[in-house]
Every structure is written in C-alpha cells, then in structure tokens.
Amino acid sequence: MLFTGDQAGTRRRHNVGFPRKKNVRARLRHVWDRYVNWGIANSKQRKALAQLQVSEVVTKESKDAGGAPFVEFQTMIRDAIEQRSFGMISRWN
C-alpha cells in the first residue's frame, strides 16, 4: 500500500511564508499553526492520516515515501529537541 494524495502540494502550503531566517521558535510555531489549521479544515483527512500512521498494512517504504516531503520539518523538530528548545513552548500563549 502506498500513501497517496497531494504531498507536494501539502508541503508547499506548509512552506508558504515559512520564516527560514527566524529562530527555531518562530519556525516551529509556523509549522505547528499550519498543521493545526490543516487538521481543523480537513478533519476526515486528519483522521485517515492518523489511522494510516498506526496501520500494520502500510509498509515502512510507503510511510517513508509519504513522509519524504516533510523531512526538513522533522529535522528541524529533532534539532530543537536536541537543543532543548522546547522549553519555550509554554510561552507561546
């Protein structure tokens, strides 16, 4: 089974206005806000995505292919964890 959908389009939408030159807090906030807004606007797709992520039917190769457009974001989040940048999340309010 292979993930389908407009992955490139999704990545482009999340990249609109992406603050590449800002600090990690601003970049993480940008990604989080886009993700939450997408989830609100696309509740059925969000539910399907959640089910696919835990499915034993979807192969690792398919999951990797589906996640490929988001590698940059995953790396940014991993770097923020390593730099202990997540302490600032509670100050987002």
Side-chain angles (χ1 to χ4, degrees), residues 62-73:
S62 291
K63 288 179 182 179
D64 290 347
F70 305 99
V71 170
E72 179 181 0
F73 300 134

Side-chain angles (χ1 to χ4, degrees), residues 2-71:
L2 181 65
F3 282 116
T4 60
D6 183 12
Q7 296 159 343
T10 299
R11 184 168 189 248
R12 277 192 304 276
R13 286 187 294 278
H14 285 283
N15 262 336
V16 172
F18 186 72
R20 289 192 187 283
K21 296 183 180 183
K22 299 269 182 162
N23 63 26
V24 71
R25 176 179 184 230
R27 292 178 299 182
L28 287 171
R29 182 59 188 241
H30 175 89
V31 172
W32 178 255
D33 288 348
R34 298 302 182 287
Y35 180 72
V36 169
N37 290 337
W38 176 84
I40 291 168
N42 300 281
S43 60
K44 289 180 183 178
Q45 291 90 333
R46 173 66 191 114
K47 183 177 179 180
L49 180 61
Q51 291 173 335
L52 286 170
Q53 288 174 332
V54 297
S55 172
E56 294 178 8
V57 177
V58 180
T59 66
K60 181 184 180 324
E61 292 79 17
S62 291
K63 288 179 182 179
D64 290 347
F70 305 99
V71 170

